[in-house]
Amino acid sequence: MRKVFEVELSSQEGLCAELTLPAAPYALLDAVETLELADGEAPGWEILRLPSCGHLSPYLDQGGTLPELNALTQRLSELGDAELAIVEGLIQMEQPRPGVTPVPLPRLIDLAYSTDCCHLVEGVVTDAQLGRFCAENGFVPETDSLPDAAFELLDFERIGKQFREAEGGVFTRGGYVQRREELKQVYKTLDLTLKKPDYMLLVETASGAQIKLPGPIGTTVVDEPAQCLDCAAPTLTGLTAMVSTLDMLARRLAELDGELTKYKAVLESTGCDDAARALTLADELDRYAFDPEPREPDEVASAHLKGLLPEGELSALLPNVSLYRYGQAVMEQGGGKLTGYGYVKPAMEQAMEQDAVQGGMSLSI
């Protein structure tokens, strides 16, 4: 699937997450989860990079929602260059005056689905070129019988301008766009609710067949290589393995229940990119300690010190310590890593800290 936009999502609390659009359902849900949004809060978004369709960015209404933006990019990723030129033309037709005025995302979605309602004359980008095209293709009957010498004396720019203004057409970088029929109303038919899919993994075989996993119990599936298109643990998206292995992984993910966030954090911290290793990690979660709160080294330092010092000593120490550097040292010594989901470290380190507190010891860095 072609990448259209790369965006940064943000919450009111200052948490951020980067996401490539269009995004699969679990990738979208996962990005929103890492923002820890308050009830009723919608994520903010900002375009970072535009691998394709960059010329459309000035027209994007920032007041639109993330599901709307994802739906738009999903459609744009399906279009070829000629169809994208038509979308550009339709957007120009929406402009109330010369210049750039943002178009609401619901309207952009309708425009993106209306490419077959228009005609594109590729390579025609001026009135003169349009006039010659019309004259050469029988749209100006009066010129049909003219000899070549007389034909070349025609004012093609005037002819083209007359056709453009009469048809309400526009020029784009891809050619001349003319609307032929009423545009489609697709937005109101879309379900843009963020919800969990009816699978744990969505995989695709070499033949292009897509399979939802885990499969129904008792169902026989041809065991062949497949690639993960979407996963409840998005880190594993893109991973390739046999369908039987991916099915086992999907069943294990379904059993994680409340530990799925911890599992995603462990996957990220270990850099896991292998299905067999992912299965093993799902059975080894008790070897890791997970705290969803810390997102920066200074937060790791504060949490660490709170577990080691009485409140009075902690209050006196904090203003005199570089928490960021101390947090980095704590992570380095304990083998901990920060992820988009929180802080992960070996469970042995957590047990050692508890022993240190009980014995009145402190960790020397």
Side-chain angles (χ1 to χ4, degrees):
M1 182 181 295
R2 185 179 62 207
K3 297 178 180 179
V4 179
F5 298 147
E6 293 179 21
V7 299
E8 181 180 70
L9 308 181
S10 59
S11 69
Q12 294 177 1
E13 293 299 319
L15 295 178
C16 297
E18 291 191 13
L19 184 65
T20 297
L21 300 179
Y26 273 121
L28 206 59
L29 288 168
D30 183 75
V32 172
E33 176 191 340
T34 61
L35 296 177
E36 298 181 356
L37 301 173
D39 289 342
E41 180 185 354
W45 57 269
E46 180 181 353
I47 301 293
L48 295 178
R49 290 170 289 276
L50 302 105
S52 61
C53 305
H55 57 288
L56 301 182
S57 63
Y59 302 103
L60 296 174
D61 181 6
Q62 292 286 327
T65 68
L66 177 60
E68 289 173 342
L69 184 63
N70 195 51
L72 173 63
T73 57
Q74 175 67 52
R75 176 57 179 170
L76 293 177
S77 72
E78 300 167 353
L79 302 180
D81 291 341
E83 293 168 310
L84 289 173
I86 292 176
V87 173
E88 181 184 354
L90 288 172
I91 292 175
Q92 288 187 34
M93 295 177 195
E94 295 284 307
Q95 300 301 296
R97 60 185 65 86
V100 175
T101 301
V103 180
L105 293 185
R107 183 58 177 172
L108 286 176
I109 291 172
D110 285 338
L111 299 183
Y113 276 94
S114 298
T115 54
D116 57 354
C117 300
C118 300
H119 179 66
L120 171 69
V121 185
E122 296 187 61
V124 173
V125 297
T126 67
D127 283 331
Q129 290 175 333
L130 178 60
R132 177 176 287 275
F133 172 85
C134 292
E136 290 178 342
N137 289 275
F139 296 104
V140 188
E142 298 83 358
T143 67
D144 290 346
S145 59
L146 290 178
D148 292 346
F151 183 86
E152 292 299 328
L153 296 176
L154 293 173
D155 187 347
F156 293 116
E157 183 173 358
R158 182 178 63 82
I159 294 173
K161 181 179 180 182
Q162 289 177 341
F163 269 89
R164 175 173 55 81
E165 292 179 345
E167 297 172 344
V170 296
F171 295 116
T172 73
R173 66 195 68 200
Y176 175 70
V177 178
Q178 173 200 3
R179 177 175 156 180
R180 298 182 303 186
E181 55 189 79
E182 289 298 315
L183 304 183
K184 296 180 179 179
Q185 305 294 316
V186 175
Y187 171 77
K188 59 186 178 183
T189 69
L190 300 177
D191 182 3
L192 300 181
T193 306
L194 289 177
K195 56 188 175 184
K196 180 180 176 181
D198 59 349
Y199 54 81
M200 300 305 292
L201 274 76
L202 178 66
V203 303
E204 184 176 66
T205 65
S207 64
Q210 294 188 1
I211 306 172
K212 296 179 180 180
L213 300 175
I217 296 177
T219 301
T220 302
V221 179
V222 177
D223 197 17
E224 58 182 314
Q227 183 179 47
C228 180
L229 301 180
D230 190 24
C231 180
T235 302
L236 301 178
T237 300
L239 181 148
T240 300
M242 300 300 288
V243 171
S244 59
T245 301
L246 294 172
D247 187 60
M248 285 191 291
L249 179 58
R251 295 185 189 280
R252 191 67 186 90
L253 289 175
E255 296 168 355
L256 287 177
D257 296 325
E259 290 198 297
L260 181 58
T261 300
K262 177 180 179 180
Y263 178 65
K264 292 191 289 187
V266 170
L267 285 175
E268 182 180 329
S269 69
T270 58
C272 178
D273 59 359
D274 176 78
R277 178 58 176 154
L279 274 168
T280 301
L281 287 174
D283 294 323
E284 294 180 345
L285 290 183
D286 58 348
R287 297 187 180 184
Y288 299 88
F290 173 62
D291 185 349
E293 294 300 325
R295 298 297 180 95
E296 298 291 340
D298 56 345
E299 295 172 339
V300 172
S302 295
H304 181 80
L305 290 171
K306 286 179 181 178
L308 295 177
L309 300 175
E311 182 63 33
E313 293 183 25
L314 181 64
S315 300
L317 178 65
L318 288 181
N320 301 296
V321 174
S322 172
L323 291 179
Y324 190 90
R325 292 176 57 190
Y326 185 79
Q328 288 180 315
V330 169
M331 289 189 291
E332 181 178 353
Q333 186 178 64
K337 291 186 178 181
L338 285 167
T339 73
Y341 309 96
Y343 182 50
V344 177
K345 61 184 176 181
M348 179 65 71
E349 173 67 15
Q350 184 181 48
M352 291 174 60
E353 287 185 13
Q354 292 174 347
D355 289 343
V357 172
Q358 293 171 0
M361 299 167 58
S362 62
L363 182 66
S364 60
I365 299 298

